[in-house]
Amino acid sequence: MLPTTTYRTAAFVEAARQIGVELTVASEQASTFEGANPAGLLTVDFKNPQRAADDVHVFARTQPIQGVVGVDDDTAIVAATIAARLKLKGNPTHAAEAARDKHQQRQLLADAGVPIPWFALHLLTENAAEIAKTIRYPCVLKPLRLSASRGVIRADNPQAFVRAHGRLTAILAQPEAAACGEPAWHYLVEEFIPGYEVALEGLVVNRRLHVLAIFDKPDPLDGPFFEETIYITPSSVPGGLQSAITQCAERAVRALGISEGPVHAELRYNENGPWLIELAARPIGGRCSAVLRFGDQKVSLEEIILRHALGMALPSLQRERQAAGVMMIPIPGTVQEVRGVEDAKRVPLVEDVQITAHPGERLVPFPEGSRYPGFIFARGETPSAVEAALRAAHGKLTFTLLPPPPPTSSVAPTRP
């Protein structure tokens, strides 16, 4: 299940080629090539999982399907619904939905005793100034259904809370956010958890979590916005603490009812131990999976995911010995052009610099936006050497910026 805006298409197509399986790419928009390749391309409604499952069920009568994979938060729900309809390996639909909805996830984690921030659900139409008087600070305002830290804003006092509420209201009024329906009328207020943040990449096989990698995030994520930049693996976190982080993620997997497939978790740790910030029933986003290679054959994450979905034998889940990292290039403004790419590629240990933004494409900074201009990849003997290479390569890049867009309205989404 590959949305038209995903970065993941090429990686999954190559993984299917590597293991010699036939791939049908399902997307929410029709391809001009669909008529010429009816077995390989399919259009389904990602906003209506049941209708998508009905369409795939009809498709499977003539084109048998042995596995289904979602690559992002929305398609994970669609994939779970299809898997249930076709009796394929996958998560229960309720588990995929719980992983997608931040409030439902928080409730299940709290009921299971998983360490999480305190939280409260509010309507956007409630009086923000009145809510702000009742909050313990610092706190974080968070939409229920947006991804990649879009709309996530820290507030340190009542005045900052009201300002953050205004920005979040404007974000949720945008058409693609408002299309979420009722979840776009609400938001979470959460405790801000100080500490060092890591990401855990895993594969759940028959309800058991297999940790594929733990990533350090060396740049502090203290707000007011939470744009991620660098992921480095292996983690420098001490072994005992890594075990505690893994156990926290395992408890979250069980609490949500996730039984099969990839998971990506964000956790923080401090003097009180690890805290589960979020867990998604999907693989790592963007093009970041390129840093992960497994076993002597350097198998990709996408190949492991496809093999698992098809019930094929899994290769070694032990990540390669070398350290690896990716930088999601920070958004300095509305980018028109990126220069210095070839100089950045020549930095020792840098494997590639991929600029994914189109010339002249407007990339809106966080928290309103969530797309990066591109990615830098590096591999080396030590995590510190990889981090230094990523930063050196980024220093070679220069950006031509466009004037910022006019301010958007902060009218709350309208109920149908």
Side-chain angles (χ1 to χ4, degrees):
M1 317 300 294
L2 289 163
T4 53
T5 56
T6 187
Y7 293 114
R8 310 302 299 280
T9 303
F12 275 102
V13 170
E14 175 59 19
R17 189 189 70 81
Q18 287 287 339
I19 59 179
V21 300
E22 296 181 26
L23 188 69
T24 297
V25 173
S27 189
E28 82 282 13
Q29 295 184 16
S31 167
T32 55
F33 299 104
E34 192 168 322
N37 186 14
L41 296 168
L42 180 65
T43 305
V44 297
D45 185 357
F46 289 164
K47 297 298 183 184
N48 189 325
Q50 290 295 338
R51 182 185 300 164
D54 290 342
D55 291 343
V56 173
H57 185 257
V58 172
F59 176 85
R61 292 173 184 168
T62 57
Q63 305 291 341
I65 294 173
Q66 282 77 41
V68 57
V69 172
V71 302
D72 65 4
D73 295 308
D74 287 327
T75 57
I77 296 176
V78 181
T81 308
I82 292 169
R85 181 69 183 274
L86 299 185
K87 296 181 172 55
L88 302 174
K89 182 181 293 187
N91 283 312
T93 305
H94 67 80
E97 290 173 342
R100 180 70 181 99
D101 186 279
K102 293 179 175 62
H103 181 241
Q104 188 178 349
Q105 180 176 147
R106 283 280 182 263
Q107 290 178 308
L108 291 172
L109 295 178
D111 290 345
V114 178
I116 59 171
W118 62 258
F119 64 97
L121 180 69
H122 289 280
L123 278 166
L124 280 175
T125 52
E126 292 180 60
N127 188 305
E130 293 300 316
I131 297 173
K133 297 175 184 177
T134 68
I135 300 299
R136 300 198 304 270
Y137 295 97
C139 71
V140 176
L141 287 75
K142 183 179 291 187
L144 301 190
R145 287 287 183 109
L146 300 186
S147 304
S149 299
R150 185 180 178 206
V152 181
I153 307 172
R154 171 175 165 166
D156 290 341
N157 54 56
Q159 295 78 20
F161 183 97
V162 172
R163 290 194 299 271
H165 177 272
R167 292 187 77 162
L168 180 57
T169 299
I171 291 167
L172 290 174
Q174 296 301 305
E176 74 281 6
C180 293
E182 185 174 352
W185 311 337
H186 299 82
Y187 66 103
L188 283 182
V189 180
E190 295 185 351
E191 173 188 10
F192 173 76
I193 300 294
Y196 189 77
E197 186 161 320
V198 298
L200 182 147
E201 196 70 15
L203 182 73
V204 180
V205 181
N206 193 24
R207 296 180 175 80
R208 179 187 174 193
L209 174 64
H210 299 261
V211 175
L212 303 178
I214 295 178
F215 291 95
D216 286 343
K217 302 182 183 183
D219 289 339
L221 290 165
D222 292 329
F225 316 127
F226 296 88
E227 175 186 10
E228 295 185 306
T229 50
I230 294 178
Y231 274 38
I232 301 285
T233 191
S235 173
S236 60
V237 174
L241 187 50
Q242 288 195 36
S243 296
I245 289 168
T246 297
Q247 290 166 12
C248 184
E250 289 173 338
R251 294 173 64 189
V253 165
R254 290 195 297 270
L256 299 185
I258 294 171
S259 58
E260 301 287 353
V263 293
H264 180 79
E266 312 284 346
L267 303 99
R268 290 195 172 201
Y269 66 86
N270 54 31
E271 65 277 6
N272 295 317
W275 300 75
L276 199 293
I277 303 301
E278 284 186 14
L279 188 143
R282 55 154 176 86
I284 190 171
R287 298 191 177 181
C288 299
S289 66
V291 303
L292 295 176
R293 302 191 306 206
F294 299 90
D296 295 336
Q297 302 301 313
K298 295 181 170 46
V299 172
S300 71
L301 175 63
E302 288 78 13
E303 182 174 331
I304 287 173
I305 291 170
L306 292 185
R307 283 181 170 274
H308 170 260
L310 290 164
M312 299 173 67
L314 294 176
S316 170
L317 300 182
Q318 181 68 41
R319 203 190 64 82
E320 67 177 346
R321 184 187 61 80
Q322 277 191 308
V326 57
M327 173 184 280
M328 293 155 272
I329 299 173
I331 301 172
T334 305
V335 178
Q336 182 180 39
E337 184 183 10
V338 183
R339 298 178 179 175
V341 173
E342 293 306 315
D343 289 339
K345 289 181 178 180
R346 285 192 284 268
V347 171
L349 306 186
V350 170
E351 290 191 332
D352 199 8
V353 179
Q354 299 179 7
I355 302 301
T356 53
H358 304 299
E361 181 181 357
R362 287 183 174 270
L363 296 177
V364 181
F366 286 76
E368 284 75 18
S370 62
R371 288 177 64 84
Y372 294 89
F375 303 85
I376 304 172
F377 302 91
R379 213 174 297 270
E381 289 302 311
T382 66
S384 60
V386 169
E387 180 183 344
L390 292 172
R391 296 191 189 280
H394 180 248
K396 302 289 186 184
L397 302 177
T398 58
F399 302 86
T400 302
L401 306 181
L402 292 170
T408 57
S409 167
S410 59
V411 178
T414 303
R415 295 194 185 203

